Amino acid sequence: MSILAQILVVVIALSAVVVVIALVRAHRLRERYAVIWLLVAFGMTVLVVARPLLDRLSLALGISSGTTTLFLLAILGILGILLQLSVSLSALEEKVRDVAEAVALADATRPIEEPEDG
Amino acid sequence: MTDATLVVTPAHNEEESVGLVVEGVRALGLRSLVVDDGSTDRTSLVAASAGAIVLNLPVNLGVGAALRTGFRYATRHGFKRVVQLDADLQHPPEAIPLLLEAADRGADLVVGSRFGSGYDPGARRAAMRLLSVVVSRRIGVRITDPTSGFKVVTEPLLSEFARYYPAEYLGDTVEALLQAGAFGASVIEIPVPMRQRFAGTPTMTPHAAGHFGRVLLSILAGRPGRRGR
């Protein structure tokens, strides 16, 4: 990986950090999700800058190119985040359903023109 | 025992038929609860005018959610059993006593099965037959119509359903049966006459195949119902 590519990755990671922090400050991103993205940016930077670390990891895994290891880790990380989001979404759907049902239950309409029910 | 029985009708844009359903139920001396599942037509008004208690879900959540809302209403207001009756008049309200008699004989869950003329065409029929076999084997009772929406639910299963009830297509029928089986409820199926759909739009959608797969997955996972913590 060239120096230029390394610089590019670090710049992207730093930009991501800036964007994530800005989103949190604007209350458009919850801290708990922000942490995940900051860890991703941090991990990417470490692996790219600490080149020997990446190479040693690749060697241990039997992968010939450090870049491939980087891609592998990136994809696994993304899949992990997607799965986590699906779980969050499921919980959210359940909560929305609970809330909607509670609203309906709190607002029962009595039968119209029902003398014996008063 | 009719005082302790509530007829719950989930309705989504069924203004043409829901009034007749409610009137049919009340003619039997039973209380009618219509859960309006985010309808955009006059379903809610028609149902209330016909003498039903009406719950309005603020957004369309699907039959399962509408039913659970009904079960929750029932348990909170002291009803001991719920008759689940569709709003499209495919099951005549006059058939309710048939189900209640079966429930009186001690079943926790009574399923009214449709022995309909020309009810299931083609691939759908095959899919339903497969579901029937799988569900019957899993709960140990022969169920020929696992997607029937005509049922009686009695305590304590009623409280179980009020806590958790599957929301998605096929969930409110097939998965609910599996849930009842897992809960240890006694389930029986009895044949009831059915009419063709009177009004409204069928719930069969292009997504049905996907949901069919999801239900099979849920059966294979051996864990119907009870999601989350």
Side-chain angles (χ1 to χ4, degrees):
Chain A
M1 198 180 289
S2 70
I3 295 291
L4 191 63
Q6 284 182 324
I7 292 172
L8 187 68
V9 169
V10 172
V11 168
I12 290 171
L14 284 178
S15 313
V17 169
V18 170
V19 169
V20 166
I21 289 174
L23 285 172
V24 170
R25 286 171 60 96
H27 299 287
R28 290 177 59 197
L29 183 65
R30 290 256 191 138
E31 286 82 351
R32 107 184 124 103
Y33 298 107
V35 168
I36 298 172
W37 292 112
L38 292 178
L39 283 177
V40 168
F42 178 73
M44 244 170 71
T45 310
V46 167
L47 286 174
V48 170
V49 173
R51 191 57 209 264
L53 184 69
L54 184 62
D55 287 337
R56 214 173 308 143
L57 188 63
S58 305
L59 199 66
L61 291 170
I63 299 170
S64 54
S65 160
T67 336
T68 309
T69 310
L70 201 58
F71 276 127
L72 179 69
L73 291 175
I75 289 169
L76 288 179
I78 289 168
L79 286 178
I81 291 171
L82 282 178
L83 184 62
Q84 203 277 326
L85 285 180
S86 306
V87 170
S88 296
L89 191 62
S90 302
L92 198 60
E93 283 181 17
E94 201 54 40
K95 285 180 190 168
V96 167
R97 184 182 158 191
D98 259 330
V99 171
E101 291 184 16
V103 168
L105 283 166
D107 186 30
T109 308
R110 304 305 304 175
I112 295 172
E113 292 167 77
E114 186 55 82
E116 64 263 33
D117 269 16
Chain B
M1 280 301 283
T2 50
D3 270 1
T5 304
L6 179 70
V7 180
V8 173
T9 299
H12 176 64
N13 291 341
E14 302 274 9
E15 63 180 5
E16 286 171 51
S17 54
V18 75
L20 290 171
V21 170
V22 172
E23 280 161 21
V25 167
R26 299 192 66 236
L28 297 167
L30 294 169
R31 302 283 291 275
S32 171
L33 171 74
V34 171
V35 185
D36 181 359
D37 188 13
S39 294
T40 51
D41 66 358
R42 295 165 57 253
T43 295
S44 174
L45 185 65
V46 170
S49 303
I53 306 156
V54 179
L55 300 179
N56 296 290
L57 284 166
V59 288
N60 180 245
L61 292 174
V63 181
L67 281 172
R68 189 175 72 175
T69 311
F71 295 145
R72 287 185 173 180
Y73 183 93
T75 53
R76 281 181 200 185
H77 292 83
F79 292 95
K80 296 295 176 226
R81 62 183 176 185
V82 162
V83 178
Q84 177 188 328
L85 176 70
D86 287 346
D88 61 3
L89 273 181
Q90 63 169 307
H91 299 288
E94 306 85 71
I96 289 174
L98 284 174
L99 290 199
L100 290 181
E101 280 163 27
D104 285 338
R105 291 197 292 271
D108 299 314
L109 180 64
V110 182
V111 181
S113 115
R114 297 162 287 193
F115 280 85
S117 39
Y119 149 65
D120 266 352
R124 187 183 153 123
R125 170 180 240 132
M128 290 307 150
R129 190 157 296 169
L130 177 61
L131 283 180
S132 161
V133 168
V134 173
V135 168
S136 300
R137 184 169 305 170
R138 179 54 64 94
I139 68 177
V141 178
R142 188 167 142 75
I143 302 291
T144 56
D145 188 7
T147 61
S148 169
F150 190 31
K151 286 184 266 195
V152 176
V153 184
T154 310
E155 287 287 16
L157 184 62
L158 180 57
S159 289
E160 161 75 2
F161 278 171
R163 274 190 294 275
Y164 178 83
Y165 199 74
E168 284 159 295
Y169 175 68
L170 288 181
D172 60 289
T173 51
V174 179
E175 280 168 277
L177 285 173
L178 298 172
Q179 187 187 348
F183 185 68
S186 62
V187 183
I188 58 166
E189 184 186 67
I190 61 166
V192 289
M194 83 168 278
R195 297 180 202 161
Q196 288 302 315
R197 289 183 73 89
F198 176 84
T201 42
T203 44
M204 194 71 184
T205 68
H207 300 297
H211 280 295
F212 179 69
R214 182 183 58 73
V215 167
L216 286 185
L217 182 71
S218 142
I219 293 169
L220 287 174
R223 204 169 134 270
R226 277 297 153 89
R227 251 152 276 182
R229 299 128 296 255

